[in-house]
Amino acid sequence: MTDDAGTTRPDHREPDGSTVARREPDGAIADRREPVLTLPERVFEAVDRRLPYLFLVPALALVASLVVYPVVRAVELSLHEVVLINLSDQQFVGLSNYATVVSDPVFATVMRNTVVFVGASVLGQVAVGLGLALLLERRWLGGRLTRLFRLAFVLPWATTGVIVAFSWQFMFHPRMGFVNETLRALGVATPPTWLNSTRWAMAAVIVATVWRGVPFSLIFQTSGLQSIPSRLYEAADVGGASPVQTVRHVTVPLLWPFVAMNLVLVTLFTVNVFDIVFVMTGGGPLHATEVLSLYMYETAFDVGAFGRANAVAVILFGLNVAVVALYLVAFDRGNGGVR
Amino acid sequence: MRSRLIELRYHARDRLRAARRYPERTAARVATVVTLATSAAFIALPLYWLFSAAFRPQEGIEVPPTLFPGRVTFDNLTAVLAETAFPTYFVNSVVVSALTVVLAVVIATPAGYALSRYDLRYERAFMLAVLLVQMIPLLALVTPLYQMFAAAGLLDTLAVVIVTDTVMVVPVGIWLIKEYFDTLPEGLEEAARVGGATRLRAFLVVLPLARPAVGATAVFAFVVSWNQFVIPLTFTSSQAVWTFPVGLYEFISRRGVVNWPLLGAASLWAMFPVLVLVAAFQRQFVAGLSGRFGGGRR
């Protein structure tokens, strides 16, 4: 930050001769410019002075037109009757799309599936990620071994979602899969058919999702652990604290904000998981694995009820906002406790 | 060689003595390493299972399956290139990812720089907006974007895929680059400005210093766009513009029967660039993943 940022300079003359009160990002240096300038130089100077703002324009334009505007558009479309085949024909129908969605018996199943899927996946990802992060923080492991393990653990996050889905589909294959082969070797005579079974498909999808998401939590928690000053551990050591006491009184309280933030982010990711479920089961069998994101996609592009799909998209968006709000409240309370 | 062996022997004896003296600590350490190694194996297993199918002969995968292919063949790896449309998908993916990387870097770098170096109006609001935008789910944007692109007649082009991919990575890029510039001293630019350089020149002078953050943004943009599925699935329909994830999904499993050896081969080709990249730029990848750079004690 420059010292005199924010200074108002009423005496400053714009290239077109008008006097405008404006803020100089770094006015001190601008004073050194030559008093007499040719026209191209003046234009260049005018552009250069606004450079910091110009630097932001492309990003701002892109995000405004392709993220913010679509959100508004989704709300608008959700209030209209629109079919996929003729997108330009939009009839205003008020909230009737929402009424249709909520009264759809499949929607109840979808919401139940979403809660089970998101709840189990989030807990799995954060717990496994945190556990591995704690194990990887051991100093005596040495740099090379830590890097090697971390590379192995990071792989799933770099893998294409479609390939993750296919991998696990193959793992859970009733005849050729590794999982059932292991179960048979362990003496289970008729192992489940996993993705073809209404009872086990969800479990299989959750396993794949957790597998994919563990690296994110691992990395996030590692950076959390690294932010804890080592002198606190030294103090605990000098004070004669046992390893359990150290974790209980040093690691847990200082790591809590990271865990909370991690939970928020992972929940957001998981609510929006699409590729893994879509490829592994397509929502089946009999809607057993159909989560909200799939339901929305199906409504839009298979059923073709585009207005209704936007109502589901708005519900999905609302769910995201609710998650963030919920965690912010919980996070605030947790923080207050520590202070 | 000989001296190395002696060294190893001393090392082993040393460890053994330590183990005898502190049996509990040694047990804990062994348990930790075993847990980590088991987890690593568990994480590698599904990928290995699919990739190893690529080396199994077409005439039926062994039932019951074996952990290692009985007979190793490279036919699938060549067949998927010669006999399917996979090369087209692969090239499309390369084009999309390359242009996404360029666009994301070109847009995010100056924005992150401006936010770090200048005291701008509405700066806090802007940074908060960047954070909030990341929380808007892509899935909720798919339907309105589809309608917008349809109205503009842009559906079924690579351009739409590239632009949408770029939007997904720019906020993270801005964040990464701003944070990195925050850690760089301002002396160099001040010297340049005092010497009469324009703001643009000053920016270009310090740009090379930001190489790690720009690299992290590029790696992040590459991985995200390379793996992106929903965007190309929704916004493209003709095979000529499919990227490989859509190709894998639509083409290989069309008849409900999956040709696992071919799929394994295609997946192996598709993952190859990412595996190399992540292995080579592990630090940048991890930075993109956590949205922050190094930091803390090291």
Side-chain angles (χ1 to χ4, degrees):
Chain A
M1 257 175 252
T2 42
D3 320 326
D4 54 350
T7 335
T8 310
R9 295 157 47 80
D11 58 339
H12 175 72
R13 281 175 63 80
E14 289 288 292
D16 58 357
S18 62
T19 305
V20 183
R22 70 191 317 280
R23 221 174 58 157
E24 271 288 332
D26 47 2
I29 295 160
D31 281 340
R32 290 181 57 87
R33 112 191 93 94
E34 294 289 308
V36 184
L37 293 169
T38 62
L39 182 68
E41 278 171 339
R42 278 209 316 251
V43 171
F44 188 86
E45 172 63 26
V47 170
D48 196 49
R49 189 168 326 107
R50 293 176 180 81
L51 200 66
Y53 292 97
L54 289 178
F55 273 177
L56 290 177
V57 167
L60 207 60
L62 206 62
V63 168
S65 61
L66 294 179
V67 179
V68 179
Y69 176 68
V71 172
V72 179
R73 197 84 192 86
V75 174
E76 197 187 333
L77 282 169
S78 74
L79 301 175
H80 290 76
E81 169 89 55
V82 192
V83 288
L84 184 66
I85 322 149
N86 188 2
L87 286 175
S88 49
D89 179 27
Q90 299 166 8
Q91 301 278 330
F92 184 80
V93 290
L95 292 173
S96 86
N97 280 326
Y98 291 92
T100 320
V101 170
V102 174
S103 60
D104 182 359
V106 176
F107 183 72
T109 317
V110 166
M111 286 316 277
R112 210 164 38 238
N113 288 341
T114 307
V115 169
V116 172
F117 173 72
V118 173
S121 305
V122 167
L123 285 181
Q125 287 172 65
V126 175
V128 177
L130 178 57
L132 288 179
L134 281 168
L135 288 181
L136 264 184
E137 265 306 277
R138 304 278 78 87
R139 284 297 185 78
W140 50 265
L141 262 178
R144 200 180 303 162
L145 208 56
T146 310
R147 263 200 305 278
L148 191 72
F149 276 128
R150 194 165 295 157
L151 182 64
F153 293 153
V154 150
L155 272 187
W157 194 258
T159 308
T160 312
V162 177
I163 294 181
V164 172
F166 275 128
S167 292
W168 281 100
Q169 205 179 347
F170 199 27
M171 286 284 282
F172 282 118
H173 196 285
R175 275 185 313 117
M176 301 186 288
F178 181 85
V179 174
N180 275 6
E181 184 51 24
T182 311
L183 286 178
R184 277 191 290 266
L186 291 174
V188 182
T190 49
T193 53
W194 298 107
L195 298 177
N196 298 325
S197 119
T198 46
R199 229 178 115 197
W200 293 100
M202 182 57 98
V205 171
I206 290 171
V207 168
T209 309
V210 170
W211 183 85
R212 177 103 203 273
V214 159
F216 178 78
S217 297
L218 168 72
I219 298 298
F220 200 90
Q221 295 304 335
T222 302
S223 68
L225 286 170
Q226 285 174 347
S227 75
I228 300 175
S230 50
R231 63 192 154 77
L232 291 182
Y233 287 110
E234 282 150 22
D237 201 32
V238 170
S242 72
V244 177
Q245 281 174 321
T246 309
V247 169
R248 167 76 187 75
H249 295 287
V250 178
T251 313
V252 170
L254 287 171
L255 204 60
W256 161 242
F258 284 88
V259 175
M261 196 60 206
N262 194 359
L263 282 169
V264 180
L265 294 175
V266 169
T267 309
L268 291 181
F269 291 154
T270 312
V271 169
N272 299 295
V273 163
F274 175 79
D275 39 13
I276 292 177
V277 190
F278 187 70
V279 175
M280 274 180 88
T281 65
L286 293 170
H287 304 293
T289 55
E290 186 155 347
V291 290
L292 199 57
S293 57
L294 255 81
Y295 181 68
M296 186 213 77
Y297 199 86
E298 200 179 65
T299 311
F301 298 106
D302 293 342
V303 180
F306 208 74
R308 188 145 39 101
N310 276 290
V312 181
V314 172
I315 294 174
L316 185 66
F317 181 65
L319 200 65
N320 277 269
V321 173
V323 166
V324 176
L326 197 73
Y327 277 119
L328 282 182
V329 171
F331 180 60
D332 251 14
R333 194 171 302 151
N335 238 5
V338 172
R339 261 186 240 121
Chain B
M1 187 65 206
R2 210 183 131 73
S3 64
R4 179 98 184 97
L5 273 177
I6 293 172
E7 198 181 302
L8 270 176
R9 225 182 83 193
Y10 269 111
H11 216 68
R13 193 172 288 175
D14 205 36
R15 282 286 163 86
L16 211 64
R17 194 177 304 146
R20 274 212 206 95
R21 182 169 295 175
Y22 309 103
E24 286 138 36
R25 201 175 70 184
T26 309
R29 287 185 179 192
V30 169
T32 306
V33 172
V34 167
T35 315
L36 285 173
T38 316
S39 314
F42 176 75
I43 277 173
L45 187 64
L47 289 178
Y48 168 77
W49 197 243
L50 184 64
F51 291 163
S52 73
F55 300 102
R56 296 173 200 255
Q58 273 289 335
E59 313 81 65
I61 291 179
E62 305 95 308
V63 178
T66 52
L67 197 53
F68 302 102
R71 188 166 67 79
V72 172
T73 172
F74 294 95
D75 293 349
N76 301 308
L77 286 169
T78 49
V80 78
L81 295 185
E83 292 161 26
T84 69
F86 181 74
T88 313
Y89 307 148
F90 192 88
V91 170
N92 285 340
S93 277
V94 170
V95 171
V96 167
S97 297
L99 289 176
T100 303
V101 166
V102 172
L103 264 180
V105 165
V106 166
I107 293 172
T109 309
Y113 172 81
L115 285 171
S116 167
R117 279 298 190 260
Y118 291 98
D119 211 11
L120 303 175
R121 248 174 289 184
Y122 313 118
E123 178 173 335
R124 279 181 59 87
F126 192 86
M127 287 310 280
L128 197 68
V130 168
L131 209 64
L132 287 180
V133 157
Q134 280 173 269
M135 298 201 167
I136 295 176
L138 166 64
L139 259 299
L141 301 177
V142 162
T143 43
L145 281 175
Y146 184 88
Q147 193 269 337
M148 285 163 60
F149 292 149
L154 287 169
L155 281 181
D156 211 16
T157 59
L158 283 183
V160 166
V161 178
I162 294 164
V163 170
T164 319
D165 280 351
T166 305
V167 176
M168 296 300 128
V169 294
V170 158
V172 177
I174 292 179
W175 200 263
L176 274 175
I177 287 164
K178 180 206 181 292
E179 296 248 298
Y180 194 78
F181 270 116
D182 283 348
T183 68
L184 291 180
E186 289 183 39
L188 202 57
E189 283 141 294
E190 272 162 20
R193 295 280 288 142
V194 169
T198 59
R199 290 177 183 81
L200 185 63
R201 270 266 2 111
F203 168 59
L204 294 176
V205 164
V206 287
L207 195 54
L209 295 182
R211 214 179 294 143
V214 173
T217 306
V219 171
F220 180 75
F222 179 84
V223 173
V224 167
S225 55
W226 188 255
N227 293 339
Q228 186 53 253
F229 176 60
V230 190
I231 290 170
L233 178 76
T234 316
F235 301 144
T236 61
S237 53
S238 48
Q239 285 206 18
V241 289
W242 279 352
T243 55
F244 84 85
V246 184
L248 286 186
Y249 172 70
E250 292 274 354
F251 158 80
I252 301 204
S253 64
R254 183 176 304 162
R255 287 144 295 168
V257 186
V258 183
N259 185 334
W260 291 107
L262 267 192
L263 180 63
S267 306
L268 200 54
W269 282 120
M271 282 316 292
F272 190 67
V274 176
L275 294 183
V276 170
L277 206 71
V278 171
F281 297 99
Q282 199 188 341
R283 213 171 98 73
Q284 279 81 352
F285 179 71
V286 165
L289 196 59
S290 58
R292 73 181 63 220
F293 235 94
R297 31 170 242 260
R298 212 165 276 136

